[in-house]
Amino acid sequence: MAQIYPGTSQVAQNRRNFTNPEYELEKLREISDEDVVKILGHRAPGEDYKSVHPPLDEMDEPDDIVRELVTPIDGAKAGDRIRYIQFVDSMYFAPAQPYLRARSYLSRWRGIDTGTLSGRQVIEARERDIERLSKILLETEYFDTARTGIRGAGVHGHSLRLDENGLMFDMLRRQVFNKETGKVEMVRDQIGVDLDEPVVLGEPLDEETLKAKTTIYRIDGEAYKDDKEAVEVLHNIHVSRSFGAFDPNAGW
Amino acid sequence: MDIEIFPHRVLGSDTTEKLLNDLESIDDVKRTVIHGPRFPKTEETLPPQYRERRVINVNGEDVVLQVKTGRIFVELTMESTIDEIEKVCKQHIPYGFDINQSKTNYIRKEQTVSDRIKYGDMDLPDELIGMTDQYSSFEDHVKIIRKDDFD
């Protein structure tokens, strides 16, 4: 059994759930394939995938044992372009956060590249694969309509105070709160280009659910220092990497 | 003396309206400044269900909101008023708030070079100093609300 993450708190358990590829993530909302394509903004819905090389079957590739061992993902097989989706997670009890996203992406999927920054997290893959993954990322617990932003550009906001209705600050106002329906709607795609029709993402999760689902240790939620086991493991890692192979008793 | 009310969330127009009405009805409150991020320029073109900006009514006067309420600076004379303000805030801000008193002045009290550039050599009344920044026009940003005089 792989040891994914230490700790006895709910936050630690949530971190393990995300990172464990065997754990099935809870599906919270339904977003159609067409809407996902609209949100991504890489191609118009219904448009063919552009390609950067001919399909692998038609290419005359040199004999290579690795090529035989590794089954190419669908997008690579077809020669799709590499596209991306980027998320911003609010510090205020967002379900996921950048480092966790990186760990869980890499433990769950093949053929992706992911980049972690303090406030945002990008995932790149071949176009048809990124669409498939985006659908999972948007529909499951990775995403909350208010505390998670889909932002290709203009990402500022993860550490700012929330709006009164619980939405994270977004300078381009892609996700907006519909007062009449109480749902969050996406009126622009991830880089801020206006959409013809808004994409309804759904209602934001309530505060209790978010606190139960979050993977962020916070002093006003579950504090890291209270999770004795996680702190102990961190402490061990700190000590062992500080000393390296040095043995203070032996003197070398 | 001044205090700063710092809500833990950025307040929308409705809450700002209720809060300001109750703050203004406290006798000792002399001036209030709302401070926060400006409403985006595209706000007016948005369909009504998404719009947050609107004209609010404070003590019978219409006030056009320019910013979302991130902080409120309040000028008062007595320390005891802070308790009243706290009570009002507790009623309207359910997400929590801080009342800060670490600075003596949150609203500027002395005239500066910028004021002189903006208004010229005129004598600026004390109650108008510090009410607007040099980048904005006075009419847009300052609203004089009369206190009720009936007793």
Side-chain angles (χ1 to χ4, degrees):
Chain A
M1 167 66 192
Q3 293 183 27
I4 298 165
Y5 192 85
T8 47
S9 59
Q10 182 60 37
V11 172
Q13 184 54 45
N14 294 344
R15 289 183 176 200
R16 280 193 287 273
N17 291 348
F18 272 109
T19 321
N20 182 3
E22 260 110 64
Y23 177 85
E24 201 174 320
L25 292 164
E26 191 187 335
K27 194 169 167 178
L28 299 173
R29 60 191 75 78
E30 196 83 44
I31 296 173
S32 71
D33 293 353
E34 197 187 316
D35 285 346
V36 173
V37 173
K38 278 198 221 161
I39 291 172
L40 289 173
H42 297 311
R43 66 184 179 104
E47 191 187 338
D48 283 346
Y49 293 102
K50 295 195 178 72
S51 59
V52 285
H53 60 76
L56 286 184
D57 299 343
E58 295 170 21
M59 280 172 80
D60 201 13
E61 290 188 300
D63 281 340
D64 183 356
I65 182 73
V66 178
R67 281 178 216 270
E68 283 164 31
L69 280 173
V70 180
T71 331
I73 54 171
D74 293 347
K77 217 181 271 175
D80 288 353
R81 304 176 296 178
I82 304 247
R83 301 285 98 170
Y84 68 93
I85 185 166
Q86 183 167 261
F87 289 98
V88 174
D89 301 292
S90 170
M91 282 169 40
Y92 293 94
F93 301 109
Q97 30 91 350
Y99 267 98
L100 176 95
R101 277 183 188 273
R103 290 182 191 132
S104 68
Y105 290 171
L106 291 167
S107 70
R108 277 173 187 271
W109 300 309
R110 295 193 308 130
I112 57 149
D113 183 15
T114 179
T116 311
L117 297 104
S118 58
R120 59 197 161 108
Q121 168 72 31
V122 66
I123 173 169
E124 293 175 9
R126 302 286 188 144
E127 193 158 358
R128 68 191 72 192
D129 296 298
I130 203 75
E131 281 170 15
R132 177 176 54 84
L133 299 181
S134 301
K135 196 171 154 73
I136 299 171
L137 290 172
L138 292 171
E139 284 183 342
T140 56
E141 344 177 11
Y142 273 107
F143 189 74
D144 171 47
T145 53
R147 309 290 165 96
T148 314
I150 316 157
R151 304 182 183 180
V155 295
H156 184 59
H158 80 284
S159 61
L160 300 189
R161 266 182 294 170
L162 300 170
D163 259 5
E164 201 177 355
N165 49 25
L167 253 68
M168 177 170 50
F169 172 84
D170 180 5
M171 61 196 277
L172 296 179
R173 308 190 89 196
R174 285 157 277 218
Q175 277 149 274
V176 285
F177 188 75
N178 188 330
K179 282 182 282 186
E180 285 161 19
T181 58
K183 289 181 177 169
V184 177
E185 294 176 10
M186 190 111 188
V187 291
R188 290 171 169 186
D189 71 5
Q190 63 167 340
I191 54 161
V193 178
D194 287 333
L195 294 172
D196 303 333
E197 285 282 309
V199 173
V200 182
L201 295 174
E203 280 176 31
L205 298 175
D206 58 71
E207 204 68 23
E208 282 72 46
T209 321
L210 280 169
K211 281 193 178 172
K213 281 189 184 303
T214 190
T215 50
I216 302 173
Y217 286 106
R218 273 182 69 97
I219 200 83
D220 51 353
E222 281 182 297
Y224 187 58
K225 62 180 178 193
D226 296 339
D227 196 340
K228 295 278 181 299
E229 191 185 303
V231 175
E232 194 187 323
V233 171
L234 180 83
H235 184 231
N236 286 346
I237 293 170
H238 171 70
V239 170
S240 51
R241 66 177 280 180
S242 300
F243 281 113
F246 177 68
D247 180 358
N249 299 320
W252 51 273
Chain B
M1 66 182 284
D2 294 347
I3 59 159
E4 179 194 56
I5 304 169
F6 186 89
H8 291 170
R9 285 195 185 179
V10 178
L11 304 180
S13 304
D14 295 347
T15 315
T16 307
E17 184 173 37
K18 286 181 207 148
L19 190 63
L20 285 184
N21 267 312
D22 283 1
L23 285 180
E24 286 300 325
S25 60
I26 299 174
D27 271 343
D28 192 36
V29 171
K30 301 287 170 233
R31 301 194 285 174
T32 40
V33 172
I34 317 171
H35 179 278
R38 214 178 261 261
F39 282 107
K41 286 214 174 69
T42 50
E43 180 82 13
E44 264 72 52
T45 56
L46 280 176
Q49 68 268 32
Y50 305 135
R51 243 180 266 168
E52 287 168 48
R53 185 182 177 180
R54 64 179 182 86
V55 178
I56 61 169
N57 192 295
V58 183
N59 280 8
E61 293 270 354
D62 283 344
V63 179
V64 185
L65 275 182
Q66 303 288 344
V67 292
K68 283 192 194 175
T69 310
R71 310 150 190 257
I72 303 174
F73 305 137
V74 184
E75 185 181 331
L76 32 92
T77 53
M78 290 180 295
E79 198 122 330
S80 58
T81 320
I82 297 174
D83 294 338
E84 280 180 67
I85 291 179
E86 200 169 342
K87 221 177 280 165
V88 168
C89 291
K90 264 193 191 138
Q91 194 185 337
H92 294 299
I93 312 175
Y95 329 99
F97 60 91
D98 296 328
I99 288 187
N100 299 327
Q101 301 175 60
S102 50
K103 291 193 204 168
T104 19
N105 284 342
Y106 284 95
I107 306 171
R108 181 161 54 79
K109 301 289 189 307
E110 282 103 42
Q111 228 172 328
T112 60
V113 178
S114 306
D115 280 334
R116 177 135 175 229
I117 294 168
K118 198 171 161 79
Y119 304 109
D121 272 334
M122 65 179 267
D123 257 340
L124 202 59
D126 281 349
E127 62 265 26
L128 294 183
I129 295 173
M131 294 303 278
T132 175
D133 66 288
Q134 63 268 40
Y135 302 112
S136 60
S137 66
F138 189 81
E139 297 77 43
D140 281 355
H141 284 74
V142 180
K143 192 86 198 171
I144 295 158
I145 294 162
R146 277 171 223 294
K147 294 256 180 206
D148 293 336
D149 287 331
F150 337 101
D151 272 315

